[in-house]
Amino acid sequence: MTDVAIVGIGMHRFGRTDGVSGRAQAVHAAREALRDAGLRFSDLRFGFGGSHSAGDADTLVSELGLTGLPFINVANGCATGGSALIAADAAIRSGQHDLGIVIGFDKHPRGAFNTDPAEHGIGAWYGETGLMVTTQFFGMKIQRYLHDTGIDPAVLATIAEKAFRNGARNPMAWRRKEISAAEIAAAPMISHPLTQYMYCSPGEGAVALVLCRADRAREYTGRPVLLRSAAFRSRRYGSFEVFAPWLAAERADSPTVEASRAAFEAAGIDPSEVDVAQVQDTESGAELMHLAETGLCAHGEQEKLIADGDTELDGRLPVNTDGGCIANGEPIGASGLRQVYENVLQLRGAAGAHQVPGEPRVGFTHVYGAPGISACTVLTR
């Protein structure tokens, strides 16, 4: 088994880009990643990619190059990008291929995601109660978590304030205006205790990564970043997850717990060694819960961690340094790859105004989505 390196990264700015298709954004990101690695599309041996609403990734070869390479579509909800990355990682580690590309992109219509319960094996009643609108589910989940841990709900506004502050420093982010915690807390209530500015929005954007065998990385870049591990897990019986229409009598861990543990074990790295982390923040409560579920802290410790400034750019454990989903929005196919893109920038020391100090060496990413799935990575330089 060979190690894997990321040698090229490319991105199309997240947000709303009227008149530019999701496919065009994907092509832009791919060409940027190839340029970053000093490669042509004809040099690549494989591709994996996916989108929820903007078309089939394999058809991007019409613009990038009809070279005959195997390009496989990946669809796995919010973990589409993470799953494509895991597939690419396996292709290189197994020795099947030595150089390829991963592309995630999307262009969602305005408004909330419109999902049919039948697509998830759920009766129409689940949609009729309003729970297919995930704002309600996340409101219920964080209410329960705050009750169980005794954490002050005021921390939810502080988390969102950090997201907008970091997003304001990130030229690729959608929301680039700082919003105070007081304004966030006073915004219209969407699903108690989560207000309007505590949620992310469906959006647009694209990310591409070029990966290769680690022993060849210096051929393409002077700043390779190692993909030490990538892990994916789905829910177990008893976990409380989005689009799960029942609760078991006994609770089970979230798939995030198992995915992050598997990623850290495969990398041979402890969560305490992480220098910069990107965790799913569909809304403020998600970041709060996932900090503990990923092993970055213990349950109940988040409030002090955040109050002490540890999750800020200059803190002990900077989290969602590019503004996360709250500031960037969530184009489903690209969201997980955005996190990896950001960590590569951070480990290269190339994140500009939102660069964390101290020359970070270990980065961690975590993405979560319906119907209870989680994908995590560990990166090092």
Side-chain angles (χ1 to χ4, degrees):
M1 301 289 282
T2 185
D3 290 332
V4 177
I6 298 173
V7 295
I9 59 173
M11 183 175 180
H12 186 283
R13 186 176 181 274
F14 278 31
R16 293 286 178 194
T17 310
D18 293 338
V20 181
S21 70
R23 285 171 48 83
Q25 293 178 44
V27 169
H28 172 84
R31 287 175 175 161
E32 286 294 300
L34 289 166
R35 180 191 59 77
D36 187 42
L39 290 164
R40 298 169 298 178
F41 190 72
S42 58
D43 296 320
L44 303 178
R45 301 295 92 193
F46 72 88
F48 289 94
S51 166
H52 183 272
S53 303
D56 293 334
D58 68 302
T59 63
L60 297 173
V61 297
S62 297
E63 285 78 33
L64 294 171
L66 299 174
T67 64
L69 90 169
F71 200 120
I72 298 175
N73 290 322
V74 178
N76 218 350
C78 295
T80 291
S83 299
L85 182 60
I86 287 170
D89 177 75
I92 294 174
R93 287 188 193 279
S94 68
Q96 182 180 19
H97 294 294
D98 60 2
L99 179 66
I101 194 167
V102 174
I103 307 173
F105 63 103
D106 249 312
K107 188 179 179 78
H108 301 299
R110 298 176 188 274
F113 291 119
N114 184 17
T115 305
D116 183 353
E119 294 177 359
H120 293 270
I122 306 173
W125 64 268
Y126 191 79
E128 291 165 1
T129 63
L131 288 174
M132 290 303 289
V133 181
T134 55
T135 52
Q136 292 200 41
F137 167 82
F138 287 117
M140 291 167 50
K141 189 170 185 178
I142 191 58
Q143 278 189 37
R144 183 175 188 171
Y145 189 81
L146 293 173
H147 172 271
D148 289 348
T149 58
I151 292 175
D152 187 343
V155 75
L156 299 173
T158 305
I159 290 171
E161 181 182 45
K162 171 180 65 68
F164 289 116
R165 183 163 55 247
N166 291 350
R169 299 184 179 192
N170 175 16
M172 303 300 278
W174 182 7
R175 313 294 191 191
R176 301 202 60 215
K177 177 184 176 182
E178 294 191 35
I179 305 178
S180 70
E183 185 178 357
I184 292 165
M189 186 65 67
I190 302 299
S191 188
H192 186 80
L194 300 168
T195 70
Q196 176 183 353
Y197 296 141
M198 295 177 188
Y199 284 97
C200 76
S201 300
E204 305 174 16
V207 177
L209 309 173
V210 176
L211 294 86
C212 74
R213 283 174 34 178
D215 59 358
R216 295 189 55 191
R218 294 287 176 179
E219 298 176 25
Y220 311 116
T221 180
R223 299 177 296 175
V225 170
L226 294 180
L227 178 58
R228 295 288 296 274
S229 66
F232 178 94
R233 293 292 186 274
S234 61
R235 68 187 186 276
R236 287 188 181 272
Y237 179 76
S239 64
F240 182 46
E241 310 301 338
V242 62
F243 296 169
W246 38 259
L247 283 175
E250 296 184 5
R251 296 280 299 276
D253 284 335
S254 163
T256 291
V257 174
E258 293 192 56
S260 58
R261 182 184 298 134
F264 283 121
E265 288 178 355
I269 288 174
D270 190 81
S272 63
E273 299 178 71
V274 171
D275 296 313
V276 57
Q278 318 300 326
V279 302
Q280 182 77 7
D281 60 332
T282 311
E283 30 68 40
S284 295
E287 178 172 327
L288 185 74
M289 291 181 284
H290 292 145
L291 280 171
E293 290 180 346
T294 57
L296 296 173
C297 70
H299 290 284
E301 289 184 355
Q302 302 100 310
E303 188 173 1
K304 184 176 188 305
L305 195 74
I306 292 165
D308 290 348
D310 286 345
T311 61
E312 299 285 349
L313 289 179
D314 58 353
R316 177 179 62 81
L317 178 63
V319 175
N320 291 335
T321 51
D322 65 352
C325 288
I326 291 175
N328 285 277
E330 184 159 29
I332 284 178
S335 198
L337 296 184
R338 171 190 56 77
Q339 297 176 325
V340 177
Y341 175 98
E342 170 66 10
N343 272 1
V344 172
L345 282 183
Q346 292 290 345
L347 297 185
R348 287 178 173 181
H354 61 288
Q355 175 68 45
V356 305
E359 298 184 351
R361 301 192 63 84
V362 178
F364 171 77
T365 73
H366 154 266
V367 63
Y368 169 90
I373 53 178
S374 183
C376 298
T377 73
V378 176
L379 308 175
T380 63
R381 64 177 177 89

